[in-house]
Amino acid sequence: RGLIYQGFKILPYCPRCETPLSSHEVSQGYRDVKDPSIYVRFRSLDDPDTYFLVWTTTPWTLISNVALAVHPDVEYLKVEYNGEKLIIAEPRANEVLSSEFKILERYKGAQLEHQRYEPLFKFIKPEKDAYYVVLGDFVTTEDGTGIVHTAPAFGEDDYVVGQKYDLPVVRPVDKSGKFENEITDFQGKFVKDADADIISDLKNRKLLFRKEMVEHSYPHCWRCDSPLLYYARKSWYIRTTDFKDKMLKNNSQINWYPEEMGEGRFGEWLNNNVDWALSRDRYWGTP
């Protein structure tokens, strides 16, 4: 009946043990670590000599970038700063730009949708349309630039927005967490070990705006202490969303005790129903 299909599921994954981890396992392995925090220029193709200013703490995922996400309701600025034109969220401009800047234009994030930009890396030719601005409610202005680099293979929010816009899933990383041969400049390197070389490459091409180090809590494998990757694994799904309306209607006819369970916990679960991922390939057991 067309109710089963194969897709991807983003899971916390240990590249050393080569297994996904459950949320309970992940919670056992958080450690404070220092990672690179970089601001990168993405050149706009619709607005000559203008760059989207983007922040990330995972430089290795830039290889798989296919879109830039902005919040539809946030105010964005095009500014002139030290002789260059940059696009940045207004609430972040004073924090990120260290000296005075001149405001050239203002627009809501929704106005930037579908604007195109030049990819940072061209190792892989995507199978679907890519390299344009998408809208996402998950974008915040608490840190970064208010513009989020999007790689659907390596993040839950990225994957969800990728499904909405039918973005390609670019995943040139093997099960050991190393770049595959098609990433010729960094092939065979463990992704997090490649960060320094990727940053150096961006700097040489004048695409690196700023580099810092940030200390944050990052999940590690409880078995072997390796840093985890959020990684797209192939998974089989059942289209439970096809029956969402019917399930909600049936639930409303059930006499729940207590009543708030039907409307609250269970009702909310049905209301936020996503297709059921039924694949399981996690290695687990009592050590």
Side-chain angles (χ1 to χ4, degrees):
R1 288 188 287 156
L3 296 175
I4 190 168
Y5 65 95
Q6 191 178 48
F8 289 97
K9 187 171 177 64
I10 306 298
L11 295 165
Y13 176 80
C14 175
R16 207 286 304 181
C17 300
E18 296 184 3
T19 177
L21 276 72
S22 71
S23 56
H24 175 68
E25 290 176 302
V26 171
S27 68
Q28 296 182 69
Y30 275 89
R31 282 175 33 202
D32 289 337
V33 296
K34 287 186 176 180
D35 275 327
S37 162
I38 64 171
Y39 295 81
V40 184
R41 301 175 179 92
F42 285 75
R43 189 170 75 87
S44 170
L45 295 178
D46 292 304
D47 195 351
D49 303 319
T50 300
Y51 293 84
F52 294 98
L53 193 58
V54 178
W55 174 72
T56 183
T57 57
T58 53
W60 64 271
T61 63
L62 291 169
I63 302 289
S64 300
N65 170 269
V66 293
L68 299 177
V70 300
H71 195 289
D73 301 324
V74 166
E75 192 100 350
Y76 288 82
L77 303 176
K78 176 182 172 181
V79 303
E80 188 174 315
Y81 176 75
N82 288 346
E84 61 180 342
K85 296 171 186 173
L86 304 170
I87 296 174
I88 186 171
E90 183 176 32
R92 299 301 303 161
N94 288 319
E95 292 284 333
V96 174
L97 306 177
S98 55
S99 58
E100 288 189 8
F101 54 86
K102 179 182 177 184
I103 298 175
L104 302 176
E105 289 184 52
R106 292 176 178 270
Y107 14 61
K108 289 287 189 188
Q111 294 173 259
L112 296 170
E113 187 179 23
H114 296 298
Q115 284 200 20
R116 306 197 74 87
Y117 65 89
E118 187 176 315
L120 296 182
F121 298 97
K122 299 178 181 177
F123 296 113
I124 298 172
K125 184 176 170 66
E127 297 176 354
K128 299 177 180 178
D129 190 27
Y131 309 127
Y132 58 89
V133 177
V134 300
L135 305 180
D137 290 336
F138 60 89
V139 179
T140 72
T141 55
E142 293 172 8
D143 48 27
T145 65
I147 305 174
V148 174
H149 128 69
T150 301
F154 301 112
E156 184 63 33
D157 288 331
D158 302 47
Y159 185 73
V160 171
V161 80
Q163 292 291 97
K164 177 182 175 183
Y165 283 90
D166 195 28
L167 294 170
V169 178
V170 177
R171 194 192 60 168
V173 177
D174 68 18
K175 62 183 181 178
S176 298
K178 296 176 181 178
F179 281 119
E180 294 176 340
N181 292 341
E182 57 196 323
I183 312 303
T184 50
D185 292 357
F186 315 109
Q187 62 180 340
K189 282 201 169 187
F190 180 61
V191 290
K192 290 183 80 67
D193 292 341
D195 278 347
D197 291 336
I198 291 169
I199 293 169
S200 178
D201 176 80
L202 293 169
K203 183 178 180 180
N204 291 338
R205 293 191 284 135
K206 300 191 182 338
L207 296 174
L208 182 69
F209 180 79
R210 185 193 305 165
K211 176 200 167 190
E212 301 164 344
M213 295 299 287
V214 60
E215 186 169 335
H216 62 156
S217 184
Y218 192 86
H220 289 67
C221 179
W222 64 270
R223 293 185 182 93
C224 69
D225 214 29
S226 293
L228 302 182
L229 308 178
Y230 283 85
Y231 188 76
R233 304 273 289 176
K234 284 188 175 177
S235 179
W236 288 96
Y237 287 85
I238 292 177
R239 295 186 197 278
T240 52
T241 50
D242 281 14
F243 298 90
K244 178 177 175 177
D245 292 341
K246 185 182 284 188
M247 287 190 287
L248 285 168
K249 181 181 176 183
N250 286 342
N251 186 53
S252 69
Q253 296 168 1
I254 293 171
N255 191 18
W256 278 89
Y257 289 94
E259 188 177 325
E260 57 268 20
M261 279 295 290
E263 295 174 359
R265 183 174 176 181
F266 193 76
E268 284 299 307
W269 179 72
L270 288 176
N271 205 40
N272 294 302
N273 172 47
V274 294
D275 286 348
W276 177 25
L278 55 121
S279 293
R280 296 291 181 271
D281 63 355
R282 182 166 62 88
Y283 178 86
W284 66 280
T286 305

